[in-house]
C-alpha cells in the first residue's frame, strides 16, 4: 500500500516541472526526461504540444518569468535611428525579458505618445504602470529587479520577440472602387 502512495506523491511533486516543460527527450541512459533546455547529446527531442496551437506564448516561460510578465508587462517606446533605443532593446534582450515594442515613426505616432504624458524623449520603458524615461541602464535594471524579472535570460531557445508596432495603426489603403468613386464626383 505504501508504494502506490509514494508513487502518487512523486507524480504530484513532479507535475509543476512537467507542466512547465517544453520538450521531451531521451537522455544518454535511455530515460525519458522533460524540461525546457534539452542537453546537446539528448536523443528523440520532441516539442511538447499545447492544447491550442495559438495559445498564450507566455505559457512556455518558466514560472518566475511568467509571473513577472503577468504582473508587470513591459512596453518599450522607441523611434527609428535612435542609438539609446537600440541600447535599451539590447539590454532587454540580453536580460531575457519579453517585451512589446512600440515605435514612433510618424507625426501621428509622436502626437499619440505625447497624449500618454510620458515625456518628449525615447526610449521609455513601461514596467506595468510605472515608467522609466530615457535610457539609464542602472535605473532600468533596478526597475526590472523590483518587478521580479530574472537578471539572466530564462527564455526558451525557441522564443522570438515580437516585431515593433507603430503607435498609431496605418490607415487602410483605398480600394480601387473607392478611388474611382471619389474621382467621379
Amino acid at each position: 500500500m505504501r508504494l502506490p502512495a509514494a508513487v502518487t506523491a512523486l507524480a504530484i511533486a513532479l507535475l509543476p516541472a512537467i507542466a512547465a516543460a517544453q520538450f521531451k527527450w531521451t537522455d544518454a541512459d535511455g530515460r525519458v526526461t522533460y524540461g525546457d533546455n534539452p542537453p546537446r547529446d539528448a536523443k528523440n527531442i520532441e516539442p511538447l504540444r499545447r492544447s491550442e496551437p495559438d495559445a498564450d506564448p507566455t505559457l512556455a516561460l518558466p514560472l518566475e518569468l511568467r509571473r513577472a510578465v503577468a504582473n508587470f508587462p513591459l512596453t518599450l517606446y522607441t523611434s527609428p535611428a535612435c542609438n539609446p533605443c537600440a541600447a535599451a532593446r539590447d539590454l532587454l534582450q540580453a536580460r531575457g525579458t519579453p517585451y512589446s515594442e512600440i515605435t514612433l515613426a510618424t507625426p501621428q505616432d509622436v502626437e499619440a505618445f505625447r497624449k500618454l504624458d510620458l515625456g518628449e524623449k525615447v526610449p521609455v520603458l513601461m514596467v506595468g504602470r510605472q515608467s522609466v524615461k530615457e535610457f539609464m541602464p542602472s535605473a532600468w535594471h533596478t526597475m526590472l529587479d523590483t518587478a521580479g524579472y530574472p537578471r539572466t535570460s530564462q527564455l526558451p531557445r525557441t522564443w522570438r520577440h515580437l516585431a515593433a508596432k507603430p503607435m498609431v495603426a496605418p490607415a487602410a489603403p483605398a480600394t480601387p472602387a473607392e478611388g474611382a468613386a471619389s474621382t467621379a464626383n
Side-chain angles (χ1 to χ4, degrees), residues 23-26 38-47 157:
F23 297 97
K24 171 183 170 184
W25 68 88
T26 305
R40 292 180 191 253
D41 64 342
K43 299 174 186 167
N44 303 325
I45 299 173
E46 299 175 33
R157 284 188 273 173

Side-chain angles (χ1 to χ4, degrees), residues 127-146:
V127 182
R129 294 182 188 167
Q130 302 271 328
S131 66
V132 186
K133 299 173 183 171
E134 300 185 39
F135 181 62
M136 293 181 289
S138 61
W140 285 40
H141 280 297
T142 299
M143 185 67 92
L144 293 168
D145 291 343
T146 302

Side-chain angles (χ1 to χ4, degrees), residues 67-78:
R67 282 185 183 155
V69 169
N71 294 328
F72 302 98
L74 302 179
T75 303
L76 176 64
Y77 293 91
T78 63

Side-chain angles (χ1 to χ4, degrees), residues 84-99:
C85 297
R89 192 179 304 110
D90 291 345
L91 180 144
L92 293 174
Q93 289 178 0
R95 193 159 164 158
T97 56
Y99 64 93

Side-chain angles (χ1 to χ4, degrees), residues 59-131:
L59 294 176
L61 300 176
L63 182 60
E64 178 184 8
L65 185 54
R66 194 172 344 134
R67 282 185 183 155
V69 169
N71 294 328
F72 302 98
L74 302 179
T75 303
L76 176 64
Y77 293 91
T78 63
S79 66
C82 165
N83 289 334
C85 297
R89 192 179 304 110
D90 291 345
L91 180 144
L92 293 174
Q93 289 178 0
R95 193 159 164 158
T97 56
Y99 64 93
S100 300
E101 183 175 350
I102 296 177
T103 187
L104 312 176
T106 66
Q108 293 84 3
D109 292 336
V110 173
E111 184 60 32
F113 180 74
R114 283 188 180 132
K115 289 179 182 176
L116 295 177
D117 199 28
L118 293 175
E120 295 290 320
K121 295 181 180 179
V122 289
V124 171
L125 178 65
M126 293 296 298
V127 182
R129 294 182 188 167
Q130 302 271 328
S131 66

